[in-house]
Amino acid sequence: MGRVYNFSAGPAVLPEEVLQAAANDMLDYKGCGMSVMEMSHRSKMFEEIITEAEQDLRDLMGIPDNYRVLFLQGGGSMQFAQVPLNLMKTGVADYIVSGSWSKKAWKEAKKFGDARCIASSEDKTFSYIPDVDALEIDDDADYVYICENETIYGTKYHKLPDTKGKPLVADVSSCFLSEPVNVEDYGVIFGGVQKNVGPAGVAIVIIREDLIPEEELPNVPTMLQYKTQADAKSLYNTPPCWGIYICGLVFKWLKANGGLEGAKRRNVEKAQLLYDYLDQSKLFKATAAKEDRSLMNIPFVTGDKDLDAKFVAEAKAAGLENIKGHRSVGGMRASIYNAMPKAGVEALVEFMKKFEAENA
Ligand SMILES: *Cc1c(COP(=O)(O)O)cnc(C)c1O
């Protein structure tokens, strides 16, 4: 049985070397006679796994000592509530709504306080990133929120907003570890890992220490307090052990392949291949504004629904899986995360050329 090229937006492709390493460890992890799925989260073995995963992530991203790394459950979506529950002190927060994910986060935050939308790109179906130089940030806002890469619309911030000293909270679910970052530009960086880092079930939160409430919050569930999770080093209760282990393998894979600089180089090269083809194609059109294009998620259309459906079906038959666009926008979307090999993008572009020739 061969492996397909999987263009899914998430859960998504993982590095083959990582899957192979996990398979080798499956029955007997490092001679302990059991798999990582079967061991106590309080065991020395697992403590090593989570400690090493955190250290490797710190090395990759250059995370300063005054930031904590939390491995949590609840996915990216849980953070839509956990962020306001922990960070809203004045009850005000500013949201930039650049797509479905930031809109969801904004709506969720409104349950807990005065979450204001200070910029939006909904007027043009979220095909661009709002002008971050023209923001009116509220003096009393506790934080400014962005979704750095909008998975569905294929847009990415290439410049972060100037938050006038307010902590920047960023959902990086679909661009996590895709390029180098300056962690100090952020107050909180979070993401569900199933797009670019690991299996579903883990969310990683990188939070500046001073943003973690010092005292227990009386009206916030224990599990949803960053303080609980930080004090217990993500081991307050049973964490997603297996998922954390796989994330750790992915961190090692990234470190062995040039770190985040290496990842960026490969990601730019892959995305360029597809964008270059799209920009000269007479059949296909990329839908995101050129200056805001994502390296990870690339939506495109033919402009004809039936032809889009034909393309998706024929691509699948050719071993190019999960190329269908999100149900809210239609068309196609190629998600080409870190683990998508260049050969996969080359195969897609070749297939598109053939399809264009046959359907011109
Ligand atoms: C997928 C996604 C989410 C939701 O993640 P879950 O782990 O399914 O809750 C949130 N934000 C972005 C940007 C995403 O791509």
Side-chain angles (χ1 to χ4, degrees):
M1 198 199 74
R3 279 173 60 79
V4 297
Y5 288 122
N6 179 10
F7 294 92
S8 170
V13 58
L14 284 167
E16 236 172 84
E17 294 95 318
V18 166
L19 297 176
Q20 200 59 59
N24 291 344
D25 282 349
M26 185 64 84
L27 296 181
D28 179 6
Y29 178 78
K30 292 193 174 171
C32 73
M34 59 179 101
S35 78
V36 176
M37 271 182 268
E38 301 165 296
M39 62 179 61
S40 165
H41 60 295
R42 309 276 175 213
S43 65
K44 191 163 176 300
M45 226 22 144
F46 186 72
E47 199 185 305
E48 273 173 31
I49 290 173
I50 192 168
T51 305
E52 215 168 295
E54 176 172 341
Q55 190 55 54
D56 285 335
L57 181 63
R58 284 185 175 277
D59 295 346
L60 276 170
M61 294 179 73
I63 301 175
D65 288 343
N66 64 327
Y67 283 74
R68 298 296 302 271
V69 176
L70 310 176
F71 295 96
L72 307 180
Q73 305 200 42
S77 303
M78 181 75 94
Q79 294 310 311
F80 298 171
Q82 200 160 1
V83 164
L85 278 169
N86 285 271
L87 266 58
M88 269 186 175
K89 293 196 186 83
T90 67
V92 177
D94 287 348
Y95 280 69
I96 303 179
V97 176
S98 60
S100 309
W101 291 116
S102 40
K103 191 172 176 183
K104 267 193 168 172
W106 171 51
K107 280 191 164 169
E108 185 75 359
K110 285 205 268 190
K111 292 185 174 173
F112 307 109
D114 183 6
R116 299 171 182 169
C117 169
I118 57 165
S120 166
S121 54
E122 195 162 14
D123 61 334
K124 290 183 185 161
T125 351
F126 296 125
S127 58
Y128 68 101
I129 297 290
D131 181 2
V132 294
D133 292 325
L135 297 175
E136 289 191 28
I137 290 165
D138 289 290
D139 286 339
D140 48 356
D142 287 314
Y143 60 90
V144 177
Y145 183 101
I146 61 168
C147 172
E148 194 162 334
N149 186 85
E150 279 282 359
T151 324
I152 293 172
Y153 302 93
T155 56
K156 162 106 200 313
Y157 284 77
H158 295 297
K159 178 185 170 201
L160 294 175
D162 173 3
T163 59
K164 318 239 156 62
K166 308 286 184 197
L168 178 65
V169 176
D171 173 359
V172 301
S173 295
S174 50
C175 60
F176 217 174
L177 305 181
S178 62
E179 53 186 291
V181 289
N182 181 19
V183 174
E184 286 183 314
D185 290 342
Y186 304 82
V188 180
I189 300 175
F190 77 83
V193 304
Q194 73 276 16
K195 309 282 161 67
N196 209 15
V197 186
V202 184
I204 294 178
V205 176
I206 300 161
I207 179 168
R208 213 174 63 209
E209 233 156 29
D210 64 284
L211 297 173
I212 300 172
E214 274 176 46
E215 302 295 330
E216 214 170 291
L217 303 167
N219 298 318
V220 176
T222 309
M223 280 288 289
L224 290 182
Q225 305 210 14
Y226 286 136
K227 178 176 163 47
T228 308
Q229 305 289 357
D231 286 352
K233 297 188 170 162
S234 308
L235 291 165
Y236 170 73
N237 70 329
T238 319
C241 301
W242 168 258
I244 293 167
Y245 154 71
I246 301 289
C247 290
L249 293 180
V250 171
F251 301 155
K252 290 204 185 300
W253 175 79
L254 282 167
K255 281 178 90 173
N257 286 282
L260 300 190
E261 292 290 348
K264 180 177 187 180
R265 190 167 12 84
R266 292 188 297 276
N267 289 333
V268 166
E269 195 183 9
K270 286 184 290 175
Q272 200 67 52
L273 269 175
L274 186 47
Y275 283 126
D276 282 350
Y277 169 68
L278 283 166
D279 286 343
Q280 58 75 55
S281 170
K282 297 207 165 44
L283 182 64
F284 299 103
K285 182 176 166 289
T287 54
K290 230 174 190 172
E291 62 278 15
D292 300 321
R293 283 172 168 179
S294 166
L295 294 178
M296 298 281 98
N297 312 99
I298 305 185
F300 55 95
V301 294
T302 63
D304 174 340
K305 269 194 178 129
D306 295 335
L307 203 54
D308 286 350
K310 185 177 183 226
F311 178 84
V312 171
E314 290 184 11
K316 184 176 168 64
L320 308 168
E321 288 263 0
N322 293 319
I323 201 90
K324 194 168 186 272
H326 189 269
R327 53 189 143 65
S328 66
V329 281
M332 282 73 71
R333 171 178 50 173
S335 294
I336 52 173
Y337 297 117
N338 283 346
M340 171 59 67
K342 188 178 165 200
V345 181
E346 286 169 344
L348 173 61
V349 170
E350 281 315 304
F351 179 80
M352 290 170 77
K353 282 181 186 165
K354 182 167 149 278
F355 188 88
E356 181 165 358
E358 288 168 2
N359 293 275

